Amino acid sequence: MTVIPHVIDGEEVESAGGARFDTVDPWTRSPWAQVALGGASEVERALAAARRAFDDGPWPRMGFAERGAALHRLADLLLAHAEDLGRADTRDMGKPITDSRGTDVPRAAMNFRFFADHARLAVAQAFPMDSGHHAYSRFEPAGVVAAIAPWNFPLMLESWKVAPALAWGNTVVLKPAEDTPASAHLLACLAVQAGLPPGVLNVVHGFGPDAVGQALTEDPRVDRITFTGESGTGRAIARAAAANLTPVSLELGGKGANLVFADADLDDAVAWSIRAVFSNAGQVCLAGSRLYVARAVFDEFVARFVRAADALVVGDPGDPGTQVGPLASEQHFTKVRGFLDEVEGLTVTGGVGDGWFVRPTVVVGAGHGDRICREEVFGPVVVVHPFDTEVEAVRLANDTRYGLNAMVFTQDLSRAHRVAAALRAGTVWVNCFFIRDLRAPFGGMADSGVGREGGDFSREFFTEPKAVVMAVARP
Ligand code: NAD
């Protein structure tokens, strides 16, 4: 069986005592690889390597152009290995191969290219002072970054953390989710091949609580923690980080509202709304899982939406024709099934399938206070509600403890701006979904997170901005 080792200090290594755990393919529901199970000694080795590479190594001292060139080489290698990387995520978590190979790998490569160029082209600020002094800013690398990632977009979200951290001269210890170790291992091997010095990007596998994840967040040698995952885990990490005053960036859960007004282009709204909640089998923090539709078009919209949901191809994620694969693990499938058990009789289409499958599911008539409307289901399940006025639509959308994203479908320009401003969310998409400009802020408010990443926002997090003040003219 395939073995997936850690990558520490530029070397593939097993755990000190040889401990391993299985990673399970959710399509076959059988283990497909064994993974080195990290513990305290692997965290120790990885942090020591990352510390050495930062304190004494060439990476933080290199010019932006040279560092950027290495990251572009890594992006080239990611694209050249798109098949292996795509298959790795598909086997680990059941994402359709068309998405893992065709979307996630190119987006990961783009993250490395973007942050390499963004760092190289960034300008520092200068502040000429009336007193004859001159102040300017420098953005210096923060140090060792612990990056802790979830399983839903393994490679893509890891690159979203690792790329800006490296571009700004930091070194990294990455802990992928325990369900999805394979692509992180390949990423670290390709980084070595791209010429990144030993210790610059380390990958340690294992679990979170009382394990490698927690150990990383409690270690005073870590200068930044960037985490994506559940809100509850985010709270635990913030508590651990507080002991050392380690800055944290938390990208957490969501319960995205999707508002369809009566004047929307309904074909367009149906197509985007389907994508918003059923892609990646709904295992998307940004999923438009609460769908609010103007009463005037409610019946027509729901009928079209259900037809489109039923037409999605559900099946083997390794088949290029598949649009919806199984849920990522048995544990996660059981959680999603629990939500569906609570709304039996309200399901217009969908429901539990064979194996760890949930078919695209549409629920109409649930109470706004019901668990399915309030908690993150993280599956291919949408609850649909009618609304009568714009004010009511905004009130319903904002009636959540999350604040990651929302979607608005309307042809009325004034309404689009008005509603986008009124929604409490880190990102609002108008007449689209999931379109990103990597310079824009990305993150959430309330239970959806702390801080923003992207462009200059990532620079703020992954550097220590410094002011230098010089006397340039004597009075
Ligand atoms: P999770 O919180 O269970 O795990 C995420 C990672 O944290 C894993 O690597 C896990 O091992 C680690 N971990 C768990 N407990 C830990 C601890 N105490 N200390 C340190 N590390 C710990 O999340 P998940 O189930 O892997 O991912 C799904 C969640 O991620 C959903 O809530 C989803 O909305 C969220 N998510 C958010 C975004 C975003 O950008 N806001 C993007 C993707 C996913």
Side-chain angles (χ1 to χ4, degrees), residues 192-255:
V192 172
Q193 217 177 307
L196 273 68
V200 168
L201 174 58
N202 308 277
V203 169
V204 180
H205 302 293
F207 293 81
D210 301 318
V212 288
Q214 186 174 331
L216 283 172
T217 61
E218 290 175 345
D219 199 294
R221 287 169 293 179
V222 169
D223 299 292
R224 292 288 185 278
I225 298 167
T226 170
F227 168 75
T228 300
E230 285 186 358
S231 304
T233 313
R235 283 194 170 82
I237 288 178
R239 275 195 295 274
N244 298 312
L245 294 178
T246 311
V248 287
S249 169
L250 302 175
E251 297 190 343
L252 308 177
K255 190 76 187 168

Coordinates of all heavy atoms in Angstrom, one line a residue, residues 192-255:
V192 N 10.8 21.1 -2.9 CA 12.2 20.8 -2.9 C 12.7 20.7 -4.3 O 13.8 21.3 -4.6 CB 12.4 19.4 -2.2 CG1 13.8 18.9 -2.3 CG2 11.9 19.4 -0.7
Q193 N 12.0 20.1 -5.2 CA 12.4 20.1 -6.6 C 12.5 21.5 -7.2 O 13.4 21.7 -8.1 CB 11.3 19.3 -7.4 CG 11.9 18.4 -8.4 CD 10.7 17.6 -9.1 OE1 9.9 17.0 -8.4 NE2 10.6 17.7 -10.4
A194 N 11.7 22.4 -6.8 CA 11.7 23.8 -7.3 C 12.9 24.5 -6.8 O 13.1 25.7 -7.2 CB 10.4 24.5 -7.0
G195 N 13.6 24.0 -5.8 CA 14.8 24.6 -5.3 C 14.6 25.4 -4.0 O 15.4 26.2 -3.6
L196 N 13.4 25.2 -3.3 CA 13.3 25.8 -2.0 C 14.2 25.2 -1.0 O 14.3 23.9 -1.0 CB 11.8 25.7 -1.5 CG 10.8 26.8 -2.0 CD1 10.6 26.7 -3.5 CD2 9.5 26.7 -1.2
P197 N 15.0 25.9 -0.2 CA 16.0 25.3 0.7 C 15.3 24.4 1.7 O 14.1 24.6 2.1 CB 16.6 26.6 1.3 CG 16.3 27.7 0.4 CD 15.0 27.4 -0.2
P198 N 16.1 23.5 2.3 CA 15.5 22.6 3.3 C 15.0 23.4 4.5 O 15.5 24.4 4.8 CB 16.8 21.8 3.8 CG 17.8 21.9 2.6 CD 17.5 23.2 1.9
G199 N 13.9 22.9 5.0 CA 13.3 23.6 6.2 C 12.3 24.7 5.9 O 11.6 25.2 6.7
V200 N 12.3 25.1 4.6 CA 11.4 26.3 4.2 C 9.9 25.9 4.2 O 9.1 26.6 4.7 CB 11.9 26.9 2.9 CG1 10.8 27.9 2.4 CG2 13.2 27.6 3.1
L201 N 9.7 24.7 3.7 CA 8.3 24.2 3.7 C 8.3 22.7 4.2 O 8.8 21.8 3.6 CB 7.6 24.2 2.3 CG 6.2 23.6 2.2 CD1 5.3 24.2 3.2 CD2 5.7 23.6 0.8
N202 N 7.8 22.6 5.4 CA 7.7 21.3 6.1 C 6.3 20.8 6.2 O 5.4 21.7 6.4 CB 8.3 21.4 7.5 CG 9.7 22.0 7.5 OD1 10.7 21.3 7.3 ND2 9.7 23.3 7.7
V203 N 6.0 19.5 6.0 CA 4.7 19.0 6.2 C 4.7 17.9 7.2 O 5.4 17.0 7.1 CB 4.1 18.5 4.8 CG1 2.8 17.7 5.0 CG2 3.9 19.6 3.8
V204 N 3.8 18.1 8.2 CA 3.7 17.1 9.3 C 2.2 16.6 9.3 O 1.3 17.4 9.4 CB 4.0 17.7 10.7 CG1 3.9 16.6 11.8 CG2 5.4 18.2 10.7
H205 N 2.1 15.3 9.2 CA 0.7 14.7 9.2 C 0.3 14.3 10.6 O 1.1 14.0 11.5 CB 0.7 13.4 8.3 CG 1.1 13.7 6.9 ND1 0.4 14.4 6.1 CD2 2.3 13.3 6.3 CE1 1.1 14.5 4.9 NE2 2.2 13.8 5.0
G206 N -1.1 14.3 10.8 CA -1.6 13.9 12.1 C -2.9 14.6 12.4 O -3.5 15.2 11.5
F207 N -3.3 14.4 13.6 CA -4.6 14.9 14.1 C -4.5 16.3 14.7 O -3.4 16.8 14.9 CB -5.3 13.8 15.0 CG -5.6 12.6 14.2 CD1 -4.6 11.6 13.9 CD2 -6.9 12.4 13.7 CE1 -4.9 10.5 13.1 CE2 -7.1 11.3 12.9 CZ -6.2 10.3 12.7
G208 N -5.7 16.8 15.2 CA -5.7 18.1 15.7 C -5.6 18.2 17.2 O -4.5 18.4 17.8
P209 N -6.7 17.9 17.9 CA -6.7 18.1 19.4 C -5.8 17.1 20.1 O -5.7 15.9 19.7 CB -8.2 17.7 19.8 CG -9.0 17.7 18.5 CD -8.0 17.5 17.4
D210 N -5.0 17.5 21.0 CA -4.0 16.7 21.8 C -3.1 16.0 20.8 O -2.6 14.9 21.1 CB -4.8 15.6 22.6 CG -5.7 16.3 23.6 OD1 -5.3 17.3 24.2 OD2 -6.8 15.8 23.8
A211 N -2.8 16.6 19.7 CA -1.9 16.0 18.7 C -1.1 17.1 18.0 O -1.0 18.2 18.5 CB -2.8 15.2 17.7
V212 N -0.7 16.8 16.8 CA 0.3 17.7 16.1 C -0.3 19.1 15.9 O 0.3 20.1 16.1 CB 0.8 17.2 14.8 CG1 1.8 16.1 15.0 CG2 -0.3 16.8 13.8
G213 N -1.6 19.2 15.6 CA -2.3 20.5 15.4 C -2.2 21.3 16.6 O -1.7 22.5 16.6
Q214 N -2.6 20.8 17.7 CA -2.6 21.5 19.0 C -1.2 21.9 19.4 O -0.9 23.0 19.8 CB -3.3 20.7 20.1 CG -3.4 21.5 21.4 CD -4.2 20.7 22.4 OE1 -5.1 19.9 22.1 NE2 -3.9 21.0 23.7
A215 N -0.2 20.9 19.2 CA 1.2 21.2 19.6 C 1.7 22.4 18.8 O 2.4 23.3 19.4 CB 2.0 20.0 19.4
L216 N 1.4 22.5 17.5 CA 1.9 23.6 16.7 C 1.3 24.9 17.2 O 2.0 25.9 17.3 CB 1.4 23.4 15.3 CG 2.2 22.4 14.4 CD1 1.6 22.2 13.1 CD2 3.7 22.9 14.2
T217 N 0.0 24.9 17.6 CA -0.6 26.2 18.0 C -0.1 26.7 19.4 O -0.2 27.8 19.8 CB -2.1 26.1 18.1 OG1 -2.5 25.1 19.0 CG2 -2.7 25.7 16.7
E218 N 0.5 25.7 20.2 CA 0.9 26.1 21.6 C 2.4 26.4 21.6 O 2.9 26.8 22.7 CB 0.6 24.9 22.5 CG -0.9 24.7 22.7 CD -1.2 23.5 23.6 OE1 -0.3 22.6 23.7 OE2 -2.3 23.4 24.1
D219 N 3.1 26.3 20.5 CA 4.6 26.4 20.6 C 5.0 27.9 20.5 O 4.7 28.5 19.5 CB 5.2 25.5 19.5 CG 6.6 25.3 19.8 OD1 7.5 26.2 19.8 OD2 7.0 24.1 20.1
P220 N 5.8 28.3 21.4 CA 6.3 29.7 21.3 C 7.2 30.0 20.2 O 7.5 31.2 19.9 CB 7.0 30.0 22.7 CG 7.3 28.6 23.2 CD 6.3 27.7 22.6
R221 N 7.7 29.0 19.5 CA 8.6 29.2 18.3 C 7.8 29.6 17.1 O 8.4 29.9 16.1 CB 9.5 28.0 18.1 CG 10.6 27.7 19.1 CD 11.2 26.4 18.9 NE 10.3 25.3 19.2 CZ 10.5 24.0 19.2 NH1 11.7 23.6 18.7 NH2 9.6 23.1 19.5
V222 N 6.5 29.5 17.2 CA 5.7 29.8 16.0 C 5.3 31.3 16.1 O 4.9 31.8 17.1 CB 4.4 29.0 16.0 CG1 3.4 29.5 15.0 CG2 4.7 27.5 15.8
D223 N 5.5 32.0 15.0 CA 5.3 33.5 14.9 C 3.9 33.9 14.4 O 3.4 35.0 14.6 CB 6.4 34.2 14.1 CG 7.7 33.9 14.7 OD1 8.0 34.4 15.8 OD2 8.5 33.2 14.1
R224 N 3.3 33.0 13.5 CA 2.0 33.2 13.0 C 1.3 31.9 12.9 O 1.9 30.9 12.5 CB 2.1 33.8 11.6 CG 2.6 35.2 11.5 CD 1.7 36.3 12.0 NE 2.1 37.6 11.8 CZ 3.0 38.2 12.6 NH1 3.5 37.6 13.6 NH2 3.4 39.5 12.3
I225 N 0.0 31.9 13.1 CA -0.9 30.7 12.9 C -1.9 31.1 11.9 O -2.7 32.1 12.1 CB -1.5 30.2 14.2 CG1 -0.5 29.8 15.2 CG2 -2.5 29.1 13.9 CD1 -1.1 29.7 16.6
T226 N -2.0 30.4 10.8 CA -3.1 30.6 9.8 C -3.9 29.4 9.7 O -3.3 28.3 9.5 CB -2.5 31.1 8.4 OG1 -3.6 31.1 7.5 CG2 -1.4 30.3 7.9
F227 N -5.2 29.5 10.0 CA -6.0 28.3 10.2 C -7.3 28.5 9.3 O -7.9 29.5 9.3 CB -6.4 28.2 11.7 CG -7.5 27.2 11.9 CD1 -7.3 25.8 11.8 CD2 -8.8 27.6 12.1 CE1 -8.3 24.9 12.0 CE2 -9.9 26.6 12.3 CZ -9.6 25.3 12.2
T228 N -7.7 27.4 8.7 CA -9.0 27.3 8.0 C -9.6 26.1 8.5 O -9.0 25.0 8.5 CB -8.8 27.3 6.5 OG1 -8.2 28.5 6.1 CG2 -10.2 27.2 5.8
G229 N -10.9 26.2 9.0 CA -11.6 25.0 9.5 C -12.8 25.5 10.2 O -13.4 26.6 10.0
E230 N -13.3 24.6 11.1 CA -14.6 24.9 11.8 C -14.4 26.0 12.8 O -13.4 26.2 13.4 CB -15.1 23.6 12.5 CG -15.6 22.6 11.5 CD -16.2 21.4 12.2 OE1 -16.2 21.4 13.5 OE2 -16.8 20.6 11.5
S231 N -15.6 26.7 13.1 CA -15.5 27.8 14.1 C -15.1 27.3 15.4 O -14.4 28.0 16.1 CB -16.9 28.5 14.1 OG -17.3 28.9 12.8
G232 N -15.6 26.2 15.9 CA -15.2 25.6 17.2 C -13.7 25.4 17.3 O -13.1 25.7 18.3
T233 N -13.1 24.9 16.2 CA -11.7 24.6 16.2 C -11.0 26.0 16.3 O -9.9 26.1 16.9 CB -11.3 23.8 15.0 OG1 -12.1 22.7 14.8 CG2 -9.8 23.4 15.1
G234 N -11.5 27.0 15.5 CA -10.9 28.3 15.5 C -10.9 28.9 16.9 O -9.9 29.5 17.3
R235 N -11.9 28.7 17.7 CA -11.9 29.2 19.1 C -10.8 28.5 19.9 O -10.1 29.1 20.7 CB -13.2 28.8 19.8 CG -14.4 29.8 19.4 CD -15.6 29.6 20.3 NE -16.5 30.7 20.0 CZ -17.4 30.6 19.0 NH1 -17.5 29.6 18.2 NH2 -18.1 31.7 18.8
A236 N -10.7 27.2 19.8 CA -9.6 26.4 20.5 C -8.2 27.0 20.1 O -7.3 27.1 21.0 CB -9.7 24.9 20.2
I237 N -8.0 27.2 18.8 CA -6.7 27.7 18.3 C -6.5 29.1 18.9 O -5.4 29.4 19.3 CB -6.7 27.6 16.8 CG1 -6.6 26.1 16.5 CG2 -5.5 28.4 16.2 CD1 -6.6 25.8 15.0
A238 N -7.5 30.0 18.9 CA -7.3 31.3 19.4 C -6.9 31.3 20.9 O -6.1 32.1 21.3 CB -8.6 32.1 19.2
R239 N -7.5 30.3 21.6 CA -7.2 30.2 23.0 C -5.7 29.8 23.2 O -5.0 30.3 24.0 CB -8.1 29.2 23.7 CG -9.4 29.8 24.2 CD -10.1 28.8 25.2 NE -10.5 27.6 24.6 CZ -11.7 27.4 23.9 NH1 -12.5 28.4 23.8 NH2 -11.9 26.2 23.4
A240 N -5.3 28.8 22.4 CA -3.9 28.3 22.5 C -3.0 29.4 22.1 O -1.9 29.6 22.7 CB -3.7 27.1 21.6
A241 N -3.3 30.2 21.0 CA -2.4 31.2 20.6 C -2.3 32.3 21.6 O -1.2 33.0 21.7 CB -2.9 31.7 19.2
A242 N -3.3 32.6 22.3 CA -3.3 33.7 23.3 C -2.2 33.6 24.3 O -1.6 34.5 24.7 CB -4.7 33.8 24.0
A243 N -1.9 32.3 24.7 CA -0.9 32.1 25.7 C 0.5 32.7 25.3 O 1.2 33.2 26.1 CB -0.7 30.6 26.0
N244 N 0.8 32.7 24.0 CA 2.0 33.2 23.5 C 1.9 34.5 22.7 O 2.8 35.0 22.1 CB 2.7 32.2 22.5 CG 3.0 30.9 23.2 OD1 3.6 30.9 24.3 ND2 2.7 29.8 22.6
L245 N 0.6 35.0 22.7 CA 0.3 36.2 22.0 C 0.7 36.1 20.5 O 1.1 37.0 19.8 CB 1.0 37.5 22.5 CG 0.5 37.9 23.9 CD1 1.3 39.2 24.4 CD2 -1.0 38.3 23.9
T246 N 0.5 34.8 20.0 CA 0.8 34.6 18.6 C -0.4 35.1 17.7 O -1.5 34.7 17.9 CB 1.0 33.1 18.3 OG1 1.8 32.5 19.3 CG2 1.5 32.8 16.9
P247 N -0.1 36.0 16.7 CA -1.2 36.4 15.9 C -1.8 35.3 15.1 O -1.1 34.4 14.6 CB -0.5 37.4 14.9 CG 0.7 37.8 15.7 CD 1.2 36.6 16.4
V248 N -3.1 35.3 15.0 CA -3.8 34.2 14.2 C -4.7 34.8 13.1 O -5.3 35.9 13.3 CB -4.8 33.4 15.2 CG1 -4.0 32.5 16.1 CG2 -5.7 34.3 16.0
S249 N -4.8 34.1 12.1 CA -5.8 34.4 11.0 C -6.7 33.2 11.0 O -6.2 32.0 10.8 CB -5.0 34.6 9.7 OG -6.0 34.6 8.6
L250 N -8.0 33.4 11.1 CA -9.0 32.3 11.2 C -10.0 32.5 10.1 O -10.8 33.4 10.1 CB -9.7 32.4 12.6 CG -8.8 32.3 13.8 CD1 -9.6 32.5 15.1 CD2 -8.0 31.0 13.9
E251 N -10.0 31.5 9.2 CA -11.0 31.4 8.2 C -11.9 30.3 8.5 O -11.5 29.1 8.4 CB -10.4 31.2 6.8 CG -9.5 32.4 6.4 CD -9.0 32.5 5.0 OE1 -9.1 31.4 4.3 OE2 -8.6 33.5 4.6
L252 N -13.1 30.6 9.0 CA -14.0 29.6 9.6 C -15.2 29.2 8.8 O -15.3 29.5 7.6 CB -14.3 30.1 11.0 CG -13.1 30.5 11.9 CD1 -13.5 31.0 13.2 CD2 -12.1 29.4 12.0
G253 N -16.2 28.7 9.5 CA -17.4 28.2 8.8 C -18.3 29.3 8.2 O -18.1 30.5 8.4
G254 N -19.3 28.8 7.5 CA -20.2 29.8 6.9 C -21.6 29.2 6.8 O -21.9 28.0 7.0
K255 N -22.6 30.1 6.5 CA -24.0 29.7 6.3 C -24.5 30.7 5.3 O -25.4 31.5 5.6 CB -24.7 29.7 7.6 CG -26.1 29.0 7.5 CD -26.1 27.5 7.5 CE -27.4 26.9 7.3 NZ -27.4 25.5 7.0

